[in-house]
Amino acid sequence: MRRTGSGHAALAALALLLVAMPAWASIEFYQTADRTEVGTEDIFQLTVVVVDPPANAQVQFPAPEDFEVLSSAQSEQRSIEMSGGGPPVIQTVRKHVLMMRANRPGTLTIPPAVLTAGGRTWRTEPIKMTARRGHVAAPRAQAGRQQPPDPFRNFPAPFGGMQDPFADEEEEDPDGRRQDDVRIPRGDSDLFLRATVDKKQVYVGEQVTLSLYIYSRVDLSSVDAVTMPKLEGFWSEDVESPTQLSGEQRVVNGIPYRTYLLRRRALFPVKSGTLSVTAAEADITTGFLFAGHRVHRVSNALDVEVKPLPPGGPKGMPSAHVGEWALSLEVSQTRVELGQPVTVKVVLEGAGNVKNVTPPRLEAPAALKVYDPTTSDKVVPNKWRIQGRRVQEYLVMPQRTGTFTLPPLEFPYFNPKTGRYEVSRTEPVELTVEPGAGGVASAPVPASPTQVADAASEQKNVLTANGLRPLRYQARFEEPAAAVWQRPFFVPTLLSPLGLMLALGLVGLVRGRISNPDETSRNRQRAKAARKRLAEAEKLREGSSSAFYGEVEKAVLNFLEARLHAPVGGLTHAALDAKLVEAGVDANRRMRVRFVLEACDAGRFAPGAEAAARESILDDAAAVMEGWDK
């Protein structure tokens, strides 16, 4: 009985062993790298494969000090193979993909991965890697090279053939353009700022678009205190400034990120050479509620190569005349009565530096009085380009009847798309001036003092719609009047010149005393006048940053134009400084002017600035205007 029992137990144990052996024997566990020679700036792929893992299998990935693991992904597939009349063979393959980067150059080793299940342990072979500084081009696979076994060889794509699960993802910037220089910073790979430009090489005056993004693999709560780069040598316009965080899923070097657009600005270089765009900065809060954590991030700096305009262009053409432009002329009416005004609009529209482009000046015959125009702009950012229209509206007043021609206008510009200078032209416009129904004196348009003076110096046209009127003479008889010296007003009139001379002398004395105060009083009056010019900006102090700083900048520029007796709008800081030097302004005051203008330029694109900062810039602007003659 004992032998029989012992024999059955042995047979049962042997059966269990035979059943278990195929499960253990079918396990395959190995790791491979897509390349063995990498650069310290390159990201490579490590693949850990388990074939037929047990249900409780645990994989411990290698964590070497010489490598940084940027991301990991897992996929699992199961196949059923039918052969002959035997039972189906089911195979399960689990694949782990790790994106890694070498921390230092040298000969490095990726340690084995470890698989534990049922008290047993499996280890992969270590992988030797050669790391070089910088970037190393990935070698092409050689013909006949021994490849590791493919666990997905029986599966359809994308798993069959050991294809990269991220192979179909293009390395694109969130703007939709392909980027080959995407670099994930070390230490901040989960959250970093990245600045991009759509063009690395442009002409002077050609638009280049700067975009600032957040790349994140963690939850974001808010973004505060965004400091945009310094843009020395550029004229900039805001294109897009989102007020809420709205992310898009992107893949960078096989690593998924959530991207958030912070700012997008159009830059127009005003000089040639290599211009630098400094790094931007931002304070970012991650997490939510009490679990939030605030971090400070700095973006990458950029260089833009700016080429001078090719030879052959019009002499003295401004750099703002670069882009794609169309010139047109709009006339309110071509047939007008004498004394009635005509409105003529010179319209320049297209893509480019709309706020600095200068339409040609309207010319007219001497019989048409042309008054100074008023200028209006309408900027419409379209996707990545600044476009819009600039309109100069003229008031034309006919001085006599007849038919007159407004000559055609020409606007030369450089088109960076074609690389050629082009000219946009208008057609000549004929104006017919007819006699008014009631003559010149019955013209219903109210005239300003300037217009009255101009009309007095011009030859009058008295022809009416009904022809010449007959002359009529009317006479009447009056009694002889008293002599002039006998009338009551004679004596006061005779003495009035003497009284007038005394009054003028007294007024001159008073004005002399009032107009010569001491130096302290003059400075106080100038400071009061300066703060009065900033009254509009003070009203906007609690409003948007763009409106407030724009008004402060406008007040300072208008003051400088009055002092320099020359327009300064649209000048770069360097050009404005040159004008101040030419006017004899001291270095300290020039430095104050430059500081205020740069602060206004930066403040327009930094929403949420503190009230104290706005109060400070008002004081600085007032200080620029005070004591100018010192």
Side-chain angles (χ1 to χ4, degrees), residues 324-328 347-351 388 390 411 413 424-426:
E324 299 177 60
W325 301 101
L327 182 66
S328 61
V347 182
L348 187 61
E349 55 186 342
R390 166 162 276 204
F411 179 77
Y413 64 95
S424 181
R425 297 179 175 87
T426 64

Side-chain angles (χ1 to χ4, degrees), residues 13 17 23 43 63 92 128 136 211 263 268 280 311 364 379 414-415 450 474 479 504 522 605:
L17 179 61
I43 297 175
T92 302
K128 295 289 186 179
V136 174
S211 302
R263 299 287 187 276
F268 298 94
V379 179
F414 177 75
N415 190 337
T450 304
Q474 297 178 352
E479 295 181 357
L504 290 177
R522 286 202 299 270
F605 304 98

Side-chain angles (χ1 to χ4, degrees), residues 116-131:
T116 57
R120 296 192 58 182
T121 302
W122 290 262
R123 296 179 183 273
T124 65
E125 294 294 330
I127 299 177
K128 295 289 186 179
M129 302 286 292
T130 301

Side-chain angles (χ1 to χ4, degrees), residues 61-207:
F61 303 115
E65 297 181 356
D66 295 331
F67 295 90
E68 178 184 4
V69 179
L70 299 177
S71 70
S72 62
Q74 176 182 327
S75 60
E76 184 173 311
Q77 281 288 348
R78 181 172 297 176
S79 67
I80 302 176
E81 182 179 354
M82 307 294 293
S83 60
V89 178
I90 302 176
Q91 187 180 51
T92 302
V93 179
R94 185 181 300 167
K95 181 180 179 182
H96 304 271
V97 178
L98 284 72
M99 308 305 294
M100 306 179 68
R101 179 170 57 188
N103 290 331
R104 64 178 181 86
T107 301
L108 311 178
T109 301
I110 299 178
V114 179
L115 172 67
T116 57
R120 296 192 58 182
T121 302
W122 290 262
R123 296 179 183 273
T124 65
E125 294 294 330
I127 299 177
K128 295 289 186 179
M129 302 286 292
T130 301
R132 305 185 186 280
R133 192 174 302 279
H135 287 283
V136 174
R140 297 184 178 180
Q142 300 178 358
R145 179 178 176 182
Q146 182 67 28
Q147 298 291 336
D150 183 6
F152 298 101
R153 54 187 175 273
N154 297 326
F155 297 164
F159 298 99
M162 287 294 292
Q163 295 182 7
D164 184 358
F166 300 106
D168 294 332
E169 295 285 349
E170 290 188 355
E171 295 175 5
E172 291 185 349
D173 204 24
D175 54 26
R177 293 175 169 82
R178 183 69 179 265
Q179 297 289 335
D180 296 325
D181 58 349
V182 178
R183 296 188 180 183
I184 301 176
R186 297 186 181 277
D188 298 332
S189 59
D190 287 341
L191 177 63
F192 61 93
L193 286 181
R194 179 170 178 264
T196 64
V197 290
D198 61 341
K199 301 174 185 177
K200 292 294 184 69
Q201 191 176 62
V202 294
Y203 287 100
V204 173
E206 181 182 1
Q207 177 181 338

Side-chain angles (χ1 to χ4, degrees), residues 373-458:
T374 59
T375 303
S376 60
D377 302 323
K378 183 179 181 181
V379 179
V380 183
N382 182 14
K383 293 183 180 179
W384 290 75
R385 304 180 67 190
I386 288 290
Q387 63 182 26
R389 62 187 326 206
R390 166 162 276 204
V391 180
Q392 286 188 342
E393 184 174 337
Y394 293 85
L395 180 66
V396 179
M397 185 69 70
Q399 302 298 310
R400 58 177 180 266
T401 58
T403 300
F404 309 99
T405 301
L406 296 177
L409 301 179
E410 294 185 352
F411 179 77
Y413 64 95
F414 177 75
N415 190 337
K417 285 190 174 181
T418 62
R420 298 189 307 233
Y421 290 95
E422 301 178 4
V423 179
S424 181
R425 297 179 175 87
T426 64
E427 297 294 332
V429 177
E430 285 193 354
L431 292 180
T432 301
V433 183
E434 301 174 341
V440 175
S442 63
V445 178
S448 65
T450 304
Q451 294 173 349
V452 171
D454 293 337
S457 62
E458 291 287 343

